[in-house]
Amino acid sequence: MQLALFIIFGALAVLGALNLLFQRHPINSALSLVVVMISLAVLYWSLGAEFLAAAQVIVYSGAIMVFFVFVIMLLNAGEEERTHGSRAAYIVGIPGAGAIFSLLAFVFLSESHALGSSSIGGYLNHVTSNISEISTVLFTKLLLPFEVTSVLILVAILGAVVLARKEQ
Amino acid sequence: MSHLTQFQTFLLLSILKVVVVLVITLTAVAYTVLLERKVLGRIQNRWGPTRTGPFGLLQPLADGIKLFLKEELIPLASEKPLFIIAPIIALACSLISISVVPFGQVTRVDGVDLFQIADLNIGLLVILGITSIGVYGIALSGWSSNNKFALLGSLRATSQMISYELALGLSLVGVVLRAQSLSLRDIVNSQSAHGMRSWNVFGGFQFVAFFIYLMAAYAETNRAPFDLPEAESELVAGYHTEYSSMKFAMFFMAEYANMLTVSCVATLLFLGGPSSPLGHLLPDDFGGPVLAAIFPVLWFVAKVLGFLLLYIWVRGTVPRFRYDQLMSFGWKFLLPVAMANILITSLVLALRG
């Protein structure tokens, strides 16, 4: 059952990502990205990270991508122009991407014991409450990085306000 | 059902539950429209629909047939795929979120809970997430219509929904803190101890959160007094200006289904869901097992109906806000009050336990 979910939504994520690249209108690309994000959320959920899945849907596809779509709608962006790109991208890019993929796959497979693993659907019952575990870790062990990150985001917001403000 | 495996029983009962809940929800949507027209008529000192059937009771049927038979118009310069998919997104999202709502007490038949389609441990977050996806339906409908009124309406709707989503989500935190769970079933159970006295509005001292939730919910469903996205005096009909026939009906149904969902969530989080306001004054197995299973559903329906009537009453009473008033109300009043509510609730909970 969980394997079927994994296959369906994994395929959907890959198809969405390809569609994101091949679509010429920015709004279609943005919507494909939404599909990718929601499929990833389902994959997280089937791995037992239900809080991460919900946060992914609410924050990324519900808030950030809505703003992307919003900006595209406001700017009235036209279709992108097709260019051939540089030759270096063709010569180096495809083997480079293949090499990075192989390297990451090798590392993940050979170090799988050290990284820890999760069986698909193993946590879908109510035995562990992920949310209380996450909040315990977040507010005890990782409190300083967590707070520093929120201050960083606050600084970014203030910077945006300063940049966007009209001169008096 | 002994010759079926457990999985087959689960599958059959789940399909049955989905079909029953969908049929009931869609019927409720149709009759909410009629209720609104009747009550609004009475508020404005007129009759409302009376001609079709006794007291106009067949009006939703007539409306449905009319919308089905109307000609389907799609503007030539519209983005066709998005134009078609937008009402589907809106309606689907508003119907999916009803699936995590518990309608009654836990009543198990062969291990399957009869009164809830899916008991998720993050039910509340699922509802918030699906609502936030529903914004795309409205945003895309306005953009793909290639009409400036529709675009303005959808921009208004999108920014309004994103702004009020914050106040809405923050107002629920106090309830979650009290229940210590995001599962809707647990939240209901945390309020069922002493009837009305342990409901979150009264005994839980979450009335501030309750009023924030109510106001944010009116804005979130684009209803009066926050119905600026479809302000007919400025924007023709807002984001669904170019839609006709069943596509228009889908937006219409989505709006009323959203009203139902929001009322269900308010009932579950603040009014104890299907639990009786009398608490345990009546014995728990009052009237035999079947009646004892049905009474909580009746309480739930009565509370949701109360919220729907409140929606209609507010629409008949309060005039529409101006757009800057709407935004400053959401960001400068509701959001700080919701944050203060979280602080005070968590402080009290920390001091008491």
Side-chain angles (χ1 to χ4, degrees), chain A residues 5-163:
Chain A
L5 273 183
F6 174 76
I7 292 170
I8 293 170
F9 284 95
L12 203 61
V14 173
L15 286 180
L18 287 177
N19 195 38
L20 163 74
L21 293 176
F22 291 131
Q23 282 291 337
R24 295 184 65 178
H25 203 287
I27 210 152
N28 292 341
S29 300
L31 291 175
S32 317
L33 191 55
V34 175
V35 172
V36 175
M37 282 166 172
I38 296 177
S39 330
L40 284 183
V42 176
L43 292 186
Y44 291 153
W45 202 337
S46 71
L47 285 170
E50 73 267 0
F51 180 71
L52 192 61
Q56 165 99 356
V57 170
I58 294 174
V59 175
Y60 281 98
S61 41
I64 294 179
M65 284 315 293
V66 169
F67 276 115
F68 272 52
V69 171
F70 205 84
V71 169
I72 295 172
M73 275 164 36
L74 273 180
L75 290 181
N76 205 8
E79 300 209 340
E80 77 179 277
E81 285 174 21
R82 275 287 142 88
T83 54
H84 282 287
S86 65
R87 182 171 291 170
Y90 278 101
I91 295 169
V92 184
I94 296 169
I100 290 175
F101 176 76
S102 318
L103 187 68
L104 284 179
F106 175 73
V107 169
F108 281 131
L109 286 177
S110 60
E111 299 294 318
S112 61
H113 285 292
L115 291 169
S117 63
S118 166
S119 59
I120 294 178
Y123 300 97
L124 278 179
N125 36 27
H126 286 248
V127 178
T128 48
S129 167
N130 257 316
I131 294 160
S132 48
E133 305 241 320
I134 286 178
S135 41
T136 314
V137 173
L138 213 55
F139 286 106
T140 53
K141 276 189 197 163
L142 301 176
L143 185 61
L144 185 68
F146 181 64
E147 293 296 331
V148 169
T149 317
S150 33
V151 170
L152 185 71
I153 293 173
L154 188 69
V155 170
I157 294 172
L158 288 180
V161 169
V162 168
L163 286 178

Side-chain angles (χ1 to χ4, degrees), chain B residues 26-38:
Chain B
L26 290 176
T27 318
V29 163
Y31 276 91
T32 310
V33 179
L34 180 68
L35 182 79
E36 172 158 44
R37 290 174 68 181
K38 286 295 253 191

Side-chain angles (χ1 to χ4, degrees), chain A residues 1 25 27-28 31 34 38 45 50-51 54 57-58 61-62 65-67 69-70 73-74 76 125-126 128 131, chain B residues 7 79 82 119-122 125-126 128-129 132-133 135-136 139-140 143 151 154-155 158-159 162 165 182:
Chain A
M1 194 69 187
H25 203 287
I27 210 152
N28 292 341
L31 291 175
V34 175
I38 296 177
W45 202 337
E50 73 267 0
F51 180 71
V57 170
I58 294 174
S61 41
M65 284 315 293
V66 169
F67 276 115
V69 171
F70 205 84
M73 275 164 36
L74 273 180
N76 205 8
N125 36 27
H126 286 248
T128 48
I131 294 160
Chain B
F7 177 71
E79 288 277 328
L82 296 182
D119 181 15
L120 303 177
N121 49 0
I122 48 162
L125 289 182
V126 167
L128 288 180
S132 61
I133 299 294
V135 178
Y136 285 107
L140 291 178
W143 183 79
L151 181 65
S154 79
L155 286 180
T158 316
S159 51
I162 293 174
E165 220 164 59
L182 287 165

Side-chain angles (χ1 to χ4, degrees), chain B residues 4 36 38 43 57 79 98 125 129 137 140 163 188 256 262 278 290-291 325 351:
Chain B
L4 295 176
E36 172 158 44
K38 286 295 253 191
I43 289 175
L57 278 178
E79 288 277 328
I98 210 103
L125 289 182
L140 291 178
S163 313
V188 167
Y256 283 86
V262 163
L278 304 173
V290 177
L291 275 185
Q325 288 173 333
L351 287 179

